[in-house]
Amino acid sequence: MKIGSYIFELLHQHDCVIVPQFGGFVARYKNATIHPVQHLFSPPSKIVAFNSELTTNDGLLANYISQKLLLSYSDSCKLINDFVTLCKAQLEANQRIQIEKIGSLFFDPEKNLQFIPADNENFLTDSFGLSTVQSPAIQRDR
């Protein structure tokens, strides 16, 4: 299903996208970083996490799908519900759910839901086009 791509698009515009009855994808700001040994400069970004406690439908995802697919709100809610049912069935079968460009969800051995974010995506639109760069070490004359 394309629900993952809609979540991906919304995370560029919003800090939280809730998938009703499943959980919320939360993006938080991360400052630019400098790695002192490797001399890597990374731009600021938004890191995605997953919170399984955010399950109440806020309408954001359903409205977005309604607009994109020209569906009624209730039809888009049904699409989301089908997606959630499929995801829960895969998780119960001990399979990983891979949401393209966002990350993967799985149950650990203690049946806790775990999320591993995709590390190659920056959801911060202010950093669009910026990538990590390496600079040679600065030699200082004494």
Side-chain angles (χ1 to χ4, degrees):
M1 285 190 188
K2 291 184 65 175
I3 302 295
S5 64
Y6 299 132
I7 296 169
F8 173 79
E9 292 169 12
L10 284 169
L11 280 171
H12 281 90
Q13 303 165 20
H14 301 276
D15 290 335
C16 182
V17 178
I18 295 174
V19 180
Q21 306 306 314
F22 189 65
F25 293 92
V26 181
R28 64 178 171 82
Y29 182 81
K30 178 183 173 194
N31 290 325
T33 59
I34 300 172
H35 193 285
V37 176
Q38 295 178 343
H39 308 289
L40 293 174
F41 297 85
S42 298
S45 61
K46 279 184 6 183
I47 301 172
V48 177
F50 182 79
N51 185 339
S52 61
E53 299 297 317
L54 299 174
T55 59
T56 303
N57 186 4
D58 63 354
L60 178 67
L61 182 59
N63 279 321
Y64 189 75
I65 293 171
S66 294
Q67 292 173 357
K68 284 291 200 177
L69 299 179
L70 302 175
L71 296 173
S72 69
Y73 182 82
S74 60
D75 287 343
S76 62
C77 285
K78 182 171 178 357
L79 279 177
I80 295 168
N81 189 43
D82 292 345
F83 173 75
V84 169
T85 302
L86 177 67
C87 288
K88 286 182 177 179
Q90 286 179 327
L91 288 170
E92 289 301 323
N94 288 326
Q95 296 176 346
R96 280 184 182 245
I97 300 170
Q98 183 65 40
I99 302 176
E100 190 175 351
K101 298 181 182 178
I102 298 174
S104 60
L105 292 156
F106 62 95
F107 279 133
D108 65 13
E110 290 83 32
K111 287 292 190 185
N112 297 313
L113 188 58
Q114 300 294 319
F115 176 72
I116 299 176
D119 58 355
N120 57 348
E121 193 59 46
N122 186 350
F123 291 95
L124 185 64
T125 55
D126 292 344
S127 295
F128 179 77
L130 299 177
S131 61
T132 299
V133 294
Q134 186 170 19
S135 174
I138 298 173
Q139 301 296 325
R140 299 181 193 265
D141 293 331
R142 297 211 184 240

